[in-house]
Amino acid sequence: MIFLRRQMLRTLSFAFGSSFILGRNQLGETAQTITQTKASAPPAGDAVRDGIAGGTEMEKVTGIGGFFFRAKDPKALGLWYQQHLGVSLVPTSAGESPWQQEAGPTAFAPFKETSGYFGDPQKVWMLNFRVRDLDKMAAQLQASGIEVKLYPPDPTGRFARVHDPEGNPIELWQPAKPGAPG
């Protein structure tokens, strides 16, 4: 598993011209540096929200660089995401490009283990994809025989729920336009 992840990151590194892979010595040095840093709880309130911890600006991640998950049939499932949602698979050669997502808000929200929000209690994750036009996306999926459940709009936008062929929940979200009624 580690080899596959390293191979994917190496391919992405090549595509973007940077290195995502740390060698063993670099990894050890990084781990040692992290261990030596002050291990105190981050301050609560505005400082954490604003990315400021201990009087200095906190380094933050810039986005999601990959989403890795197990599948019964990875090839078929990857093809489904590519054909129906337009998510390109990890490049396998220098001539291919990785999927590029558009800039926009990303929700990061752990849920209680007992939450019914994902549907099937055996599912432990759910993807939420931003879309430009939820009606067009829903029509496209329905034309391919994929069941789409649309939800009433709320102040954050419009949502729909679909499931991939392995039953994983996928939420589609058309964010509300600023100033639009909810």
Side-chain angles (χ1 to χ4, degrees):
M1 178 65 175
I2 291 173
F3 175 75
L4 291 174
R5 181 175 35 197
R6 290 173 80 71
Q7 186 178 16
M8 283 190 273
L9 291 173
R10 198 170 280 123
T11 303
L12 288 172
S13 294
F14 180 78
F16 288 113
S18 63
S19 178
F20 290 99
I21 308 297
L22 292 176
R24 282 190 177 158
N25 291 342
Q26 291 170 306
L27 188 58
E29 291 168 8
T30 303
Q32 186 176 8
T33 303
I34 291 169
T35 305
Q36 291 173 352
T37 59
K38 203 175 195 179
S40 62
D46 293 338
V48 172
R49 271 193 306 279
D50 296 338
I52 299 171
T56 61
E57 190 166 335
M58 182 178 111
E59 187 62 29
K60 300 180 287 184
V61 298
T62 59
I64 295 174
F67 181 72
F68 308 98
F69 59 101
R70 293 184 174 109
K72 294 174 187 146
D73 188 344
K75 254 186 182 166
L77 195 58
L79 187 59
W80 185 90
Y81 277 87
Q82 194 169 17
Q83 288 177 338
H84 298 290
L85 299 177
V87 178
S88 302
L89 301 176
V90 173
T92 56
S93 70
E96 297 176 5
S97 297
W99 176 55
Q100 296 284 324
Q101 62 179 319
E102 294 178 11
T106 301
F108 185 83
F111 281 72
K112 284 190 172 195
E113 191 174 38
T114 56
S115 172
Y117 190 65
F118 300 176
D120 181 349
Q122 299 301 310
K123 301 299 179 185
V124 297
W125 60 268
M126 180 176 63
L127 284 169
N128 173 297
F129 288 116
R130 288 184 309 270
V131 299
R132 281 187 289 266
D133 188 321
L134 187 60
D135 294 324
K136 284 184 181 177
M137 177 63 81
Q140 173 183 300
L141 292 168
Q142 289 167 335
S144 294
I146 299 167
E147 184 179 337
V148 179
K149 181 175 182 180
L150 293 165
Y151 292 94
D154 73 26
T156 63
R158 297 181 55 221
F159 293 88
R161 178 77 54 95
V162 300
H163 291 85
D164 71 19
E166 294 195 7
N168 298 306
I170 300 168
E171 194 168 64
L172 303 173
W173 172 41
Q174 180 181 332
K177 293 193 182 353

